[in-house]
Amino acid sequence: MVKKMYYLSALLLWAVATTGWAQTESATITVTPDVVNVGAIPEGGASTIDGELLIAYENVDANFSIQHCDAEGNEIDEAPNWVDLWVYDEVLYYSVNENYTTETRTAYFKVYAPLGSDNVYSNLVTITQAARGVPSITITPDVVNVGAIPEGGSSTIDGQIPFTYENLVINSSYNFYIEYCDAEGNEIEQPDWIGLGVNNAWDEENSTFDNDKYVVNYWVSENYVTEARTAYFKVCAPLGNGIDYVYSNLVTITQAARGVPSITISPDMVNVGAIPESGNSYIEGELPIAYENVDAYFYIQYCDAEGNEIEQPDWFYITTYYAWDEENSTYDYDKYVVEYTVEANSTPDPRTAYFKVYAPLGDDYVYSNLVTINQIALGTAMLPFEWAGGASADFKELNGATTEGLGKDYAAAHAPYLIKFDSDGDYIQVKTDSRPGKVTIGVKMVGGSNSSTIYVQSSSDGANFYNVEYLDISGVQNSTMTLETTNDFDESDRYVRLYFSKGSNVGIGAITITKYAETVTVKIKDGFKATTFSCDKAIDFTNVEGITAYIITDVNGTTQQVTKVPAYHGVYIEGASGEHQIPIITDEEAAEAESDFANSKLEATEQPTGSVLEYVSDDDVTYYIYGKQKGKEAFFRVTTSDYTLSVGNKAVLKIETAANGAKEMIEVNGGVTGISSIDNEPLNGENYYTVNGKLIKGQPTKRGIYIVNGRKVVVK
């Protein structure tokens, strides 16, 4: 019985064992392939090398796990830090970090799944990662030479240096860094004259950046010194372990020394005319600028003759600009000129301006040579301006005269009408020394009877003219005529232009421009033979007819004749009753007569324009007012405590009281009869007669002896 039971037990164990063995063989996990080789670094800028393996399994639930092993398949305690494994949807995924070393490395693992109280394991899988090649960054060329200054007006000298790299993971240009170095390759601070950066190379063919190629961009400031300078750098990139970097070869950038900087303007002296041609407002021109080793950022400095900086002259302006390329009808952006603008010279004196052109040079400046602009004097025609006719060349020699246009001079047979107006816009211009008066023009109708016009124009500055009067010309061929203006010129006018509008050709003969007669009025009251006068203008009695001016030199009324009278000086005037016009002269013209009034006892009123004035006689001074009393015409003492002279432009006689005992009346040169009242009116003029008794109209122009108010006068 025992033997039988033993047999049954053994049979049961065998059956169980047999059943268990059958189940173990049918539960399998297979990973294929079982050997995987990956590169040292990722491709395409990825951060890892990724892949997947197929898992085949039988009689096992797909609840997979990873077991890291050694080469013999034994489980190890720590997973390698360079590979990650995981299973998802029955696929094994692996992710391998880049290899930063120069040795291959291998990881082993199995996939397993639970089966009852045990696990079912896959075959052993090997992942081998190749050794990384030596990482490198190579920049070629490793020596770059650049110029001292930029070209084409740029602010820096720019360029690119290509470089290659191997066995590096590069995601973008930001993975590269610049390290500035000394000549031995030691890191230093960035030099202030150079800048470097890394960027993707430009793909010209596709007009885009190439994300797999890189360049070093450099920016070099211009060299302001006469010595070469050098900078050194390397490009580096991290190896990914956060500690080590890969460095390129050392690169040298050498910048050439700047040559001696210079700016040269030629010619260094320019002579310009007094007035513009062809009716322009200004005289304009250009001077070329040659420069070396300087950026073309030019400025102007106005100077004195020694080259010291001054304020800009008000008649002269310059600027710099690109030169004009006549051949291509455009500006040449590599060449420069100085453009100058000179206003018309309306003075009788030449004038000169000086300037330099300069450009910045670092913290300093480079200056050109000193340039001189000389402008000739226009000259001034003294009025009256008189031209008796003749050739245009003769006319242009006259002071203050210029012309525009004009045909060839007519033949001598047309004398004196030799200057030829034959085109619209021809003109004759005269700059005068004072305000013009009447203009008289001799004209011959050489070309026939078609009507022409001469526009008499005037200007105060020689640039802006206005029409004063139109003088029409018409008549039969070869007829002559004299044209005269009747309109007045403005007070500030100093230019006269005869501007031609053509109907037919005409010849121009004699031209006269008189001086505008600016005068003051002197009035001798009816019934009087004399008066006193003063005003705030210098005046001249030299050529005035009908009256004579004197000063009173003593208490006896002794007179002394004067002609030119400075402003604010009193005079005693004898002559015909009525109004007389006395020409105004400049203070400079009257200055020479100042000494004539040193002994005068006449005093101008303080307000010669007509204000009420008070004169008070006292123990020291006695005042006398000219007038008539009881049939006598004389200077009468102011008898009251004060006297009010209500009309200005007069003179009072001021005598020291002790000198004449305060006489009631002072007669002039022994007296003038027919006195009835005090004269408060202004005075005026004289008549000239020849020794034969002929009355001369106006001031005598010929030398000789003339009779004026019964006295002989010599005109020189």
Side-chain angles (χ1 to χ4, degrees):
M1 183 65 177
V2 172
K3 186 177 182 180
K4 184 177 181 180
M5 288 294 292
Y6 173 79
Y7 175 79
L8 291 173
S9 297
L11 183 61
L12 179 61
L13 290 171
W14 178 85
V16 171
T18 302
T19 303
W21 177 252
Q23 288 178 342
T24 301
E25 285 188 338
S26 63
T28 62
I29 302 173
T30 305
V31 179
T32 57
D34 58 1
V35 175
V36 178
N37 294 307
V38 298
I41 59 174
E43 295 182 359
S47 58
T48 57
I49 303 168
D50 301 328
E52 56 186 53
L53 303 175
L54 297 178
I55 301 175
Y57 60 94
E58 292 181 0
N59 303 314
V60 176
D61 291 335
N63 185 14
F64 299 114
S65 299
I66 304 296
Q67 177 180 295
H68 292 276
C69 304
D70 59 17
E72 284 71 38
N74 301 310
E75 184 177 9
I76 59 177
D77 295 331
E78 292 186 4
N81 61 2
W82 55 273
V83 61
D84 290 323
L85 303 168
W86 69 95
V87 177
Y88 182 74
D89 283 346
E90 303 175 6
V91 177
L92 174 69
Y93 295 92
Y94 64 85
S95 179
V96 180
N97 297 331
E98 61 180 306
N99 190 356
Y100 299 109
T101 71
T102 56
E103 297 178 358
T104 59
R105 55 189 179 185
T106 304
Y108 306 92
F109 70 90
K110 295 178 182 178
V111 175
Y112 67 94
L115 182 66
S117 60
D118 204 354
N119 295 318
V120 179
Y121 290 86
S122 72
N123 52 311
L124 184 65
V125 181
T126 303
I127 295 182
T128 300
Q129 186 176 30
R132 178 194 291 262
V134 177
S136 65
I137 303 173
T138 305
I139 303 175
T140 54
D142 59 2
V143 175
V144 178
N145 296 308
V146 299
I149 59 174
E151 296 182 359
S154 301
S155 58
T156 57
I157 302 169
D158 305 333
Q160 293 182 342
I161 309 171
F163 67 88
T164 58
Y165 62 93
E166 292 183 354
N167 303 310
L168 288 174
V169 176
I170 301 299
N171 295 317
S172 74
S173 61
Y174 296 109
N175 291 124
F176 293 106
Y177 302 91
I178 299 294
E179 184 174 288
Y180 296 91
C181 304
D182 59 19
E184 285 70 44
N186 302 309
E187 186 175 8
I188 62 171
E189 293 290 324
Q190 176 183 348
D192 59 5
W193 57 274
I194 187 171
L196 302 168
V198 176
N199 201 0
N200 291 98
W202 181 254
D203 183 346
E204 290 287 351
E205 182 177 352
N206 298 304
S207 297
T208 186
F209 286 104
D210 188 334
N211 293 326
D212 294 325
K213 293 182 180 179
Y214 297 90
V215 294
V216 175
N217 291 317
Y218 61 82
W219 303 268
V220 179
S221 301
E222 61 181 304
N223 191 357
Y224 296 109
V225 301
T226 54
E227 297 178 357
R229 55 189 179 185
T230 302
Y232 306 90
F233 74 91
K234 297 177 181 178
V235 172
C236 60
L239 263 178
N241 58 7
I243 300 174
D244 296 323
Y245 286 83
V246 178
Y247 290 84
S248 73
N249 51 310
L250 186 66
V251 181
T252 304
I253 294 184
T254 299
Q255 185 175 32
R258 179 190 289 263
V260 177
S262 66
I263 304 173
T264 305
I265 301 174
S266 60
D268 58 4
M269 180 176 290
V270 178
N271 297 312
V272 299
I275 61 172
E277 297 182 359
S278 303
N280 294 330
S281 301
Y282 303 96
I283 301 167
E284 299 175 332
E286 294 181 351
L287 298 173
I289 302 174
Y291 61 97
E292 292 184 355
N293 305 310
V294 175
D295 284 340
Y297 296 110
F298 297 117
Y299 301 90
I300 299 298
Q301 178 174 295
Y302 296 93
C303 303
D304 59 19
E306 285 70 45
N308 302 309
E309 185 174 9
I310 61 171
E311 293 291 324
Q312 176 185 345
D314 59 4
W315 57 275
F316 177 63
Y317 174 77
I318 53 180
T319 186
T320 61
Y321 203 67
Y322 301 110
W324 181 254
D325 183 347
E326 290 287 352
E327 182 177 351
N328 298 304
S329 297
T330 185
Y331 287 105
D332 187 336
Y333 296 104
D334 294 323
K335 294 182 180 180
Y336 296 84
V337 294
V338 174
E339 296 179 342
Y340 62 83
T341 302
V342 180
E343 293 184 356
N345 190 359
S346 58
T347 72
D349 299 317
R351 53 191 180 185
T352 302
Y354 307 90
F355 72 90
K356 295 178 182 178
V357 170
Y358 67 97
L361 186 67
D363 297 329
D364 204 353
Y365 292 93
V366 178
Y367 290 83
S368 74
N369 50 311
L370 185 67
V371 182
T372 304
I373 302 286
N374 294 314
Q375 186 177 31
I376 65 173
L378 172 62
T380 304
M382 305 294 290
L383 295 185
F385 174 85
E386 294 181 352
W387 174 67
S392 59
D394 299 331
F395 183 87
K396 291 179 181 179
E397 291 179 358
L398 297 176
N399 203 29
T402 56
T403 65
E404 173 66 24
L406 305 186
K408 293 182 179 179
D409 300 329
Y410 280 121
H414 294 295
Y417 309 100
L418 298 184
I419 289 183
K420 184 179 183 182
F421 275 176
D422 65 354
S423 298
D424 285 330
D426 290 355
Y427 68 76
I428 292 172
Q429 182 175 309
V430 178
K431 182 181 186 301
T432 65
D433 66 328
S434 60
R435 180 181 180 182
K438 181 188 294 185
V439 178
T440 304
I441 312 166
V443 177
K444 184 175 184 179
M445 292 290 298
V446 177
S449 60
N450 292 334
S451 178
S452 299
T453 301
I454 292 179
Y455 295 88
V456 180
Q457 301 175 331
S458 191
S459 171
S460 61
D461 58 9
N464 302 294
F465 284 83
Y466 70 94
N467 292 325
V468 176
E469 197 161 345
Y470 310 149
L471 301 177
D472 291 326
I473 309 169
S474 61
V476 299
Q477 187 169 1
N478 292 325
S479 62
T480 62
M481 63 206 72
T482 299
L483 308 177
E484 291 186 344
T485 59
T486 58
N487 295 337
D488 287 338
F489 292 80
D490 287 347
E491 184 175 351
S492 62
D493 287 347
R494 293 297 182 270
Y495 293 83
V496 174
R497 177 180 287 182
L498 309 179
Y499 189 91
F500 184 60
S501 179
K502 179 181 177 181
S504 59
N505 294 352
V506 301
I508 300 298
I511 297 175
T512 301
I513 306 173
T514 64
K515 186 174 182 178
Y516 185 85
E518 294 183 282
T519 62
V520 297
T521 301
V522 171
K523 181 179 180 181
I524 298 179
K525 190 176 179 180
D526 290 344
F528 282 75
K529 294 184 179 180
T531 188
T532 62
F533 186 75
S534 66
C535 72
D536 58 355
K537 302 284 193 302
I539 53 179
D540 187 3
F541 288 85
T542 301
N543 298 313
V544 178
E545 298 179 359
I547 57 175
T548 305
Y550 304 91
I551 58 172
I552 306 296
T553 60
D554 55 30
V555 298
N556 299 316
T558 303
T559 61
Q560 175 184 321
Q561 185 177 352
V562 292
T563 52
K564 294 181 179 179
V565 181
Y568 300 102
H569 285 63
V571 288
Y572 165 76
I573 300 171
E574 289 182 351
S577 62
E579 292 186 349
H580 302 269
Q581 301 303 315
I582 315 301
I584 296 172
I585 59 176
T586 65
D587 291 338
E588 290 77 11
E589 293 174 303
E592 63 185 25
E594 192 73 41
S595 60
D596 296 341
F597 289 79
N599 298 322
S600 178
K601 302 297 183 181
L602 290 170
E603 183 178 280
T605 58
E606 295 178 4
Q607 298 289 338
T609 55
S611 299
V612 174
L613 303 168
E614 293 184 353
Y615 294 89
V616 180
S617 298
D618 54 30
D619 293 340
D620 297 322
V621 176
T622 301
Y623 288 100
Y624 293 84
I625 304 297
Y626 191 79
K628 286 183 181 180
Q629 288 188 11
K630 299 179 180 179
K632 279 194 175 291
E633 190 170 344
F635 285 92
F636 293 93
R637 182 170 70 88
V638 177
T639 56
T640 58
S641 60
D642 63 84
Y643 179 81
T644 299
L645 182 63
S646 60
V647 179
N649 298 98
K650 290 294 185 179
V652 296
L653 190 60
K654 180 181 179 181
I655 302 294
E656 293 79 3
T657 300
N660 66 353
K663 293 195 298 187
E664 293 295 321
M665 177 182 66
I666 297 177
E667 296 185 77
V668 177
N669 292 330
V672 179
T673 60
I675 302 172
S676 61
S677 64
I678 293 178
D679 169 30
N680 284 336
E681 297 295 330
L683 32 117
N684 267 334
E686 287 170 17
N687 292 321
Y688 282 75
Y689 295 85
T690 67
V691 293
N692 296 323
K694 182 179 179 182
L695 176 64
I696 302 299
K697 182 179 180 181
Q699 176 185 354
T701 58
K702 295 183 179 180
R703 298 178 180 178
I705 300 175
Y706 296 86
I707 308 300
V708 182
N709 291 336
R711 296 186 302 277
K712 291 183 179 180
V713 176
V714 177
V715 176
K716 296 181 179 181

